[in-house]
Amino acid sequence: MRRRTQASVAVALGVVVVVVAGMLLGPALRPDPSQPRSGPGDASGDWRRVGHDAREGWRPKAADLPRFKGSPGPVRVRDDLPLPTNRWYSGMVFGETAQPVFAVPLAVQATPGGVTVGLPRVTASTTTIAGPFVPELELGLRTDGFTAERGDPVSVVSTYRSAGRAVGRLLLAEGWPYGGYTALRDQVVDVPAGLTRREGGRWWSVDVGGTTYGLAVAAEDGSRQSVRPSGGTVRLAAGQSLLVFAGPDSQTAAALAEGAVPVRGTSVSYDQGGARTRTRIVYRTAGGRPTVVAAMPHHRLTAGVDGVGTVESIYGPLRLFRGRALTTAVRTVHPKGTLDLRSLTDADRTQLRSQVEQDATEVLEGPAPPTDTYFGGKALHRLAQLSSVARAVGAERTADQLRARVVDELDAWLDRTGGCPADATRCFGYDTAFGGVVGRAPSFGSEEFNDHHFHYGYFLAAAGIVGRQEPDLLERWRPTLTALAEDIASPVTDRLIPALRNFDPYTGHSWASGTSPFADGNNQESSSEAITAWNGLALWAGADGNDRLAEQATWQLSLEAASAKSYWLEPENLPEEYQHGFASLNWGGKRDWATWFSPEPSAILGIQLIPMPPVFEEVGATPERVRANVEEATADGFDVEFGDYLTMYLAMADPERALAAGRELPDSAIDDGNTRSYLLAWLLRQARSG
């Protein structure tokens, strides 16, 4: 979450998300012939696991940075783990009181003495699509607290205790339409009254507000066992699991009852073959038995999937199918750092060179760039792009001057050979309390681990653009840039850093809040800056020769781009009551046509475009959706906040109109992360490439 201009800082509120660390993302994934295929094609391919071997070629550098210490407040995380931030379940483990979390499709609230679940019911207004947590079925445990023991980006396991003794473990996972509680010792669990016996006692149900909730018990090997509630309780022996689930009708609930098998965790791997990037999430079930998995709208499944129903969500219908793996594919988006201006005419180049000289004078003779990690990084990216445009149109001397300025600024931030003086603000350090990298001059709650991917993506992209074929620069910056990359995208959890801090392989996008202290779950506002983050990571890793990390970043970039279109810029399945064509602020439990910093329509769309990096061309856009979105955001014309990005976005559908509008934009409509030169270069490229 963030506000995009310095003038709007005062109205911003910080947001945070939490990751529960402590577990590798899983062993290498191989095709499992015993399981039905659940995605496009088969499971063969060059699968890369997100796990310890993915770190080959780069080592943790966070320990080499200066030491800081933040204040995370109360946490429910095992003591020897780094505090994992920016997860869908962060609100469960940070703060005085655990917040509800949205495991999709269930919403769950863990309390010291139990677990409450609800299947969100979707409603809509003109500006919001809501599926809030509604507590409808409660399991009472004879416990006094819980602690997250291990987790990965898709699942989390928490241990419940009574008087300091471990009593049971709760597993929640995205895409798994159950909550699973496994007893570590014989015990009694309080269950709702009025349960109805189903299938001879193989499961029990209760209807609440039109939703059918079910309870089933499984043995340690995953086999189903009869449930025998008595006096509002269920007795569990050590090793048995109690599973709770919910369907919109009794038929769906019955199908879920058949798949009520304990899950012990999840594993993630990816494969990039040809034009498609595939992701495979395996739900590690007891005994390898099939369960039921929920697919979101952006998950493309093949016709052979064994479907068992649908469940509504704020993102549209979730498809339920039998299996224990979710394999999906999206179009591969390759990283791109600079605009290709070869199609420009001689007249275009002459005009651009003149504009470059004006912008360069303003930049080189103007005030020093900001020293906080957001605006500081944004300014560096602006300089790097201006330098690349200057080079592309033949303004070599100016390009050299701009490049020298970028290098000087990056040196100030990244070259730690001289340490980090006490009075230095352009400095990164390792936060020993949170377990991650922070800047000495934070912004928008970055000291609480908000928005790190937004901030650090700018630094990585700038370094990747100016550092290509410059081994001396890359070597000088490598320790700090590795720490930044590790903070937001480490492929493994270790004692210093959680894995994939910001990125969620199930939803296909990132989460921005560090500790997520919200009843609506975690959130992300600027999908475009998330795209910029993974593009920047891929650019730097590629320039530095780290092919494995560049491949991982391209996987993240491709998923983030697909979800940005599916859920932010070009969403489908929008309710009739919702009177807009896009969403700007997506949460676990709602979607808003809003921002954290402005109610203006131009800002609501513009925050999905900033900084319009060259890779946005590769992301692509549907012309009719672009026109409709821009029309909604520019009722008062283009002389508005982010008018430059709105014009550049329009060029992807109507380049001539956009070029004419862009030529008329006043300086007030040019964002502080942009220049008129880059704006004009983008518009001319679109117009001349059509």
Side-chain angles (χ1 to χ4, degrees), residues 19 23-25 49-52 54-55 58-62 82 87 153 435 482-503 534 537 549 552 555-556:
V19 171
M23 175 180 175
L24 297 184
L25 297 191
R49 69 167 171 175
V50 184
H52 61 87
R55 184 169 264 160
W58 69 311
R59 300 302 305 164
K61 295 296 181 182
R87 288 286 192 251
T482 299
L484 298 186
E486 184 184 34
D487 181 76
I488 62 174
S490 172
V492 64
T493 292
D494 63 15
R495 63 183 180 82
L496 294 174
I497 298 284
L500 296 184
R501 183 187 300 279
N502 292 89
F503 191 68
W534 312 131
L537 179 62
L549 180 59
Q552 176 190 307
W555 164 62
Q556 294 176 266

Coordinates of all heavy atoms in Angstrom, one line a residue, residues 19 23-25 49-52 54-55 58-62 82 87 153 435 482-503 534 537 549 552 555-556:
V19 N 4.4 -13.5 7.0 CA 4.6 -14.8 6.5 C 5.1 -15.7 7.7 O 5.9 -15.2 8.4 CB 5.8 -14.8 5.5 CG1 6.2 -16.1 5.2 CG2 5.4 -14.0 4.3
M23 N 9.9 -23.3 7.0 CA 9.7 -24.6 6.3 C 10.1 -24.4 4.8 O 9.7 -23.4 4.2 CB 8.3 -25.0 6.3 CG 7.9 -26.2 5.5 SD 6.1 -26.5 5.8 CE 5.9 -27.8 4.6
L24 N 10.9 -25.3 4.3 CA 11.2 -25.2 2.9 C 9.9 -25.3 2.1 O 9.0 -26.0 2.5 CB 12.2 -26.3 2.5 CG 13.6 -26.3 3.1 CD1 14.4 -27.4 2.5 CD2 14.3 -25.0 2.9
L25 N 9.9 -24.7 0.9 CA 8.7 -24.8 0.1 C 8.4 -26.2 -0.4 O 7.4 -26.4 -1.1 CB 8.7 -23.8 -1.0 CG 8.8 -22.3 -0.6 CD1 8.6 -21.4 -1.7 CD2 7.8 -22.1 0.5
R49 N 11.9 -26.5 -8.4 CA 11.2 -26.3 -7.1 C 11.6 -25.0 -6.5 O 12.7 -24.5 -6.7 CB 11.6 -27.5 -6.2 CG 13.0 -27.5 -5.7 CD 13.2 -28.4 -4.6 NE 14.6 -28.6 -4.2 CZ 15.0 -29.3 -3.2 NH1 14.1 -30.0 -2.4 NH2 16.3 -29.4 -2.9
V50 N 10.7 -24.5 -5.7 CA 11.0 -23.3 -4.9 C 11.5 -23.9 -3.6 O 10.7 -24.4 -2.8 CB 9.8 -22.4 -4.7 CG1 10.2 -21.2 -3.9 CG2 9.2 -22.0 -6.0
G51 N 12.8 -24.1 -3.4 CA 13.4 -24.7 -2.3 C 14.9 -24.5 -2.2 O 15.4 -23.6 -2.8
H52 N 15.5 -25.2 -1.4 CA 16.9 -24.8 -1.0 C 17.9 -24.9 -2.2 O 18.8 -24.0 -2.3 CB 17.4 -25.7 0.1 CG 17.5 -27.2 -0.2 ND1 18.6 -27.7 -0.9 CD2 16.6 -28.2 0.0 CE1 18.4 -29.0 -1.0 NE2 17.2 -29.3 -0.5
A54 N 17.3 -23.9 -5.1 CA 17.1 -22.8 -6.0 C 18.0 -21.6 -5.6 O 18.1 -20.6 -6.3 CB 15.7 -22.3 -5.9
R55 N 18.7 -21.7 -4.5 CA 19.6 -20.6 -4.0 C 21.0 -20.8 -4.6 O 21.9 -19.9 -4.4 CB 19.7 -20.5 -2.5 CG 20.5 -19.4 -2.0 CD 20.3 -19.2 -0.5 NE 19.3 -18.2 -0.2 CZ 18.7 -18.1 0.9 NH1 18.9 -18.9 1.9 NH2 17.8 -17.1 1.1
W58 N 23.7 -17.8 -5.5 CA 23.7 -16.6 -4.6 C 23.5 -17.1 -3.2 O 22.9 -18.0 -2.9 CB 22.6 -15.7 -5.1 CG 21.2 -16.1 -4.9 CD1 20.6 -17.3 -5.2 CD2 20.2 -15.3 -4.3 NE1 19.3 -17.3 -4.8 CE2 19.0 -16.1 -4.3 CE3 20.1 -14.0 -3.8 CZ2 17.8 -15.7 -3.8 CZ3 18.9 -13.6 -3.3 CH2 17.7 -14.4 -3.3
R59 N 24.1 -16.3 -2.3 CA 24.1 -16.7 -0.9 C 23.5 -15.5 -0.1 O 23.6 -14.3 -0.6 CB 25.5 -16.9 -0.4 CG 26.2 -18.1 -1.1 CD 25.4 -19.4 -1.0 NE 25.1 -19.8 0.4 CZ 24.2 -20.6 0.7 NH1 23.4 -21.2 -0.2 NH2 24.0 -20.9 2.0
P60 N 23.0 -15.8 1.1 CA 22.5 -14.7 1.9 C 23.5 -13.6 2.2 O 24.6 -13.9 2.6 CB 22.0 -15.4 3.2 CG 21.9 -16.8 2.8 CD 22.9 -17.1 1.7
K61 N 23.1 -12.4 2.0 CA 24.0 -11.2 2.3 C 23.4 -10.3 3.4 O 24.0 -9.4 3.8 CB 24.2 -10.4 1.0 CG 25.0 -11.1 -0.1 CD 26.4 -11.5 0.3 CE 27.1 -12.3 -0.8 NZ 28.5 -12.7 -0.3
A62 N 22.2 -10.7 3.8 CA 21.5 -9.8 4.8 C 22.4 -9.7 6.0 O 22.4 -8.6 6.7 CB 20.2 -10.4 5.2
P82 N 12.5 -16.4 11.7 CA 12.4 -15.0 11.3 C 11.0 -14.7 11.2 O 10.2 -15.5 10.7 CB 13.2 -14.9 10.0 CG 13.0 -16.3 9.4 CD 13.0 -17.2 10.5
R87 N 2.1 -12.2 4.2 CA 1.4 -13.4 3.8 C -0.1 -13.2 3.9 O -0.5 -12.3 4.6 CB 1.8 -14.6 4.7 CG 3.2 -15.1 4.4 CD 3.2 -15.9 3.1 NE 4.5 -16.6 3.0 CZ 5.5 -16.3 2.2 NH1 5.3 -15.3 1.4 NH2 6.6 -17.0 2.1
P153 N 4.4 -20.1 1.5 CA 3.5 -19.1 1.0 C 2.0 -19.5 0.8 O 1.1 -18.7 0.7 CB 4.1 -18.7 -0.4 CG 5.5 -19.1 -0.3 CD 5.5 -20.3 0.6
G435 N 13.4 -9.7 10.9 CA 14.1 -10.7 10.0 C 14.0 -10.3 8.6 O 13.4 -11.0 7.8
T482 N 21.8 -8.2 -3.5 CA 21.5 -9.5 -3.1 C 20.6 -9.5 -1.9 O 19.6 -10.3 -1.8 CB 22.7 -10.4 -2.9 OG1 23.5 -10.4 -4.1 CG2 22.4 -11.8 -2.5
A483 N 20.9 -8.7 -0.9 CA 20.1 -8.6 0.3 C 18.7 -8.1 0.0 O 17.7 -8.6 0.5 CB 20.8 -7.7 1.3
L484 N 18.6 -7.1 -0.9 CA 17.3 -6.6 -1.3 C 16.5 -7.7 -2.0 O 15.3 -7.9 -1.7 CB 17.4 -5.4 -2.2 CG 18.1 -4.2 -1.7 CD1 17.9 -3.0 -2.7 CD2 17.5 -3.7 -0.3
A485 N 17.1 -8.4 -2.9 CA 16.5 -9.5 -3.6 C 16.0 -10.6 -2.7 O 14.9 -11.2 -2.8 CB 17.4 -10.1 -4.7
E486 N 16.9 -10.9 -1.7 CA 16.7 -12.0 -0.8 C 15.5 -11.6 0.1 O 14.6 -12.4 0.4 CB 17.9 -12.2 0.1 CG 17.7 -13.3 1.1 CD 18.9 -13.4 2.0 OE1 19.6 -12.4 2.3 OE2 19.3 -14.6 2.4
D487 N 15.4 -10.3 0.5 CA 14.3 -9.9 1.3 C 12.9 -10.1 0.7 O 12.0 -10.5 1.4 CB 14.5 -8.4 1.7 CG 13.4 -7.9 2.6 OD1 13.5 -8.2 3.8 OD2 12.5 -7.2 2.1
I488 N 12.8 -9.8 -0.6 CA 11.5 -9.9 -1.2 C 11.2 -11.2 -2.0 O 10.1 -11.5 -2.3 CB 11.2 -8.7 -2.2 CG1 12.2 -8.7 -3.3 CG2 11.3 -7.4 -1.4 CD1 11.9 -7.6 -4.4
A489 N 12.3 -12.0 -2.2 CA 12.1 -13.1 -3.1 C 13.0 -14.3 -2.8 O 13.3 -15.1 -3.7 CB 12.3 -12.7 -4.6
S490 N 13.5 -14.4 -1.6 CA 14.3 -15.6 -1.3 C 13.5 -16.9 -1.6 O 12.4 -17.0 -1.3 CB 14.7 -15.6 0.2 OG 15.3 -16.8 0.6
P491 N 14.2 -17.8 -2.3 CA 13.5 -19.1 -2.6 C 13.3 -20.0 -1.4 O 12.8 -21.1 -1.6 CB 14.4 -19.7 -3.7 CG 15.7 -19.2 -3.4 CD 15.5 -17.8 -2.8
V492 N 13.8 -19.7 -0.3 CA 13.8 -20.6 0.9 C 13.8 -19.8 2.2 O 14.3 -18.7 2.2 CB 15.0 -21.5 0.8 CG1 16.3 -20.8 1.0 CG2 14.9 -22.6 1.9
T493 N 13.2 -20.4 3.1 CA 13.2 -19.8 4.5 C 14.5 -20.3 5.2 O 14.8 -21.5 5.1 CB 12.0 -20.3 5.3 OG1 10.8 -19.6 4.8 CG2 12.1 -19.9 6.8
D494 N 15.2 -19.4 5.8 CA 16.3 -19.8 6.6 C 16.2 -19.0 7.9 O 15.2 -18.4 8.2 CB 17.7 -19.7 5.9 CG 18.0 -18.2 5.6 OD1 17.3 -17.3 6.1 OD2 18.9 -18.0 4.8
R495 N 17.3 -19.0 8.7 CA 17.2 -18.3 10.0 C 17.2 -16.8 9.9 O 16.9 -16.1 10.8 CB 18.5 -18.7 10.8 CG 19.8 -18.3 10.2 CD 21.0 -18.7 11.1 NE 22.2 -18.3 10.5 CZ 22.8 -17.1 10.7 NH1 22.1 -16.2 11.4 NH2 23.9 -16.7 10.1
L496 N 17.4 -16.3 8.7 CA 17.5 -14.8 8.5 C 16.2 -14.3 7.8 O 15.8 -13.2 8.1 CB 18.7 -14.4 7.7 CG 20.1 -14.6 8.4 CD1 21.2 -14.3 7.4 CD2 20.2 -13.8 9.6
I497 N 15.7 -15.0 6.8 CA 14.7 -14.5 5.9 C 13.7 -15.5 5.6 O 14.0 -16.7 5.4 CB 15.4 -14.1 4.6 CG1 16.5 -13.0 4.8 CG2 14.4 -13.6 3.5 CD1 15.9 -11.6 5.0
P498 N 12.4 -15.2 5.5 CA 11.4 -16.1 5.0 C 11.4 -16.2 3.5 O 11.8 -15.3 2.8 CB 10.0 -15.5 5.5 CG 10.3 -14.0 5.6 CD 11.8 -13.9 5.9
A499 N 10.8 -17.3 3.0 CA 10.8 -17.5 1.6 C 9.7 -16.7 0.9 O 8.6 -16.5 1.5 CB 10.5 -19.0 1.3
L500 N 10.0 -16.2 -0.3 CA 9.0 -15.5 -1.1 C 8.2 -14.5 -0.3 O 7.0 -14.6 -0.3 CB 8.1 -16.4 -1.9 CG 8.8 -17.4 -2.9 CD1 7.7 -18.2 -3.6 CD2 9.6 -16.6 -3.9
R501 N 8.8 -13.6 0.4 CA 8.2 -12.8 1.4 C 6.8 -12.2 0.9 O 5.8 -12.3 1.5 CB 9.1 -11.7 1.8 CG 8.4 -10.8 3.0 CD 9.3 -9.6 3.3 NE 10.6 -9.9 3.7 CZ 10.9 -10.2 5.0 NH1 10.0 -10.4 5.9 NH2 12.2 -10.5 5.3
N502 N 6.9 -11.6 -0.3 CA 5.7 -10.9 -0.8 C 4.8 -11.7 -1.7 O 3.6 -11.4 -1.9 CB 6.1 -9.6 -1.5 CG 6.7 -8.6 -0.6 OD1 7.9 -8.5 -0.4 ND2 5.9 -7.7 -0.1
F503 N 5.4 -12.8 -2.3 CA 4.7 -13.4 -3.4 C 3.9 -14.6 -3.0 O 4.3 -15.4 -2.2 CB 5.7 -13.8 -4.5 CG 5.1 -14.2 -5.8 CD1 4.5 -13.3 -6.6 CD2 5.2 -15.5 -6.2 CE1 4.0 -13.6 -7.8 CE2 4.6 -15.9 -7.4 CZ 4.0 -14.9 -8.2
W534 N 9.2 -7.6 -9.9 CA 9.7 -8.8 -10.5 C 10.4 -8.6 -11.8 O 11.4 -9.3 -12.1 CB 8.6 -9.9 -10.6 CG 7.7 -9.9 -9.3 CD1 6.4 -9.9 -9.2 CD2 8.2 -10.0 -8.0 NE1 6.0 -9.9 -7.9 CE2 7.1 -10.0 -7.1 CE3 9.5 -10.1 -7.4 CZ2 7.2 -10.1 -5.7 CZ3 9.6 -10.1 -6.0 CH2 8.4 -10.1 -5.2
L537 N 13.8 -7.4 -10.6 CA 14.6 -8.5 -10.1 C 15.2 -9.4 -11.2 O 16.3 -9.8 -11.2 CB 13.7 -9.4 -9.2 CG 14.3 -10.6 -8.6 CD1 15.5 -10.3 -7.6 CD2 13.2 -11.5 -7.8
L549 N 18.0 -17.3 -10.5 CA 17.2 -16.3 -9.9 C 16.4 -15.5 -11.0 O 15.2 -15.2 -10.8 CB 18.0 -15.3 -9.1 CG 17.3 -14.2 -8.4 CD1 16.2 -14.7 -7.5 CD2 18.2 -13.3 -7.7
Q552 N 13.4 -17.6 -11.8 CA 12.4 -17.5 -10.8 C 11.7 -16.1 -10.9 O 10.4 -16.1 -10.8 CB 13.0 -17.6 -9.4 CG 12.0 -17.4 -8.3 CD 12.7 -17.2 -6.9 OE1 13.5 -18.1 -6.5 NE2 12.4 -16.2 -6.2
W555 N 9.2 -16.2 -13.6 CA 8.0 -16.9 -13.2 C 7.1 -16.0 -12.4 O 5.8 -15.9 -12.6 CB 8.4 -18.1 -12.4 CG 7.3 -18.7 -11.5 CD1 6.2 -19.3 -11.9 CD2 7.3 -18.8 -10.1 NE1 5.4 -19.8 -10.9 CE2 6.1 -19.5 -9.7 CE3 8.2 -18.4 -9.1 CZ2 5.8 -19.8 -8.4 CZ3 7.9 -18.7 -7.8 CH2 6.7 -19.4 -7.4
Q556 N 7.6 -15.2 -11.4 CA 6.8 -14.3 -10.6 C 6.2 -13.2 -11.5 O 5.1 -12.8 -11.3 CB 7.7 -13.8 -9.5 CG 8.2 -14.8 -8.5 CD 9.1 -14.2 -7.4 OE1 10.3 -14.3 -7.6 NE2 8.6 -13.6 -6.4

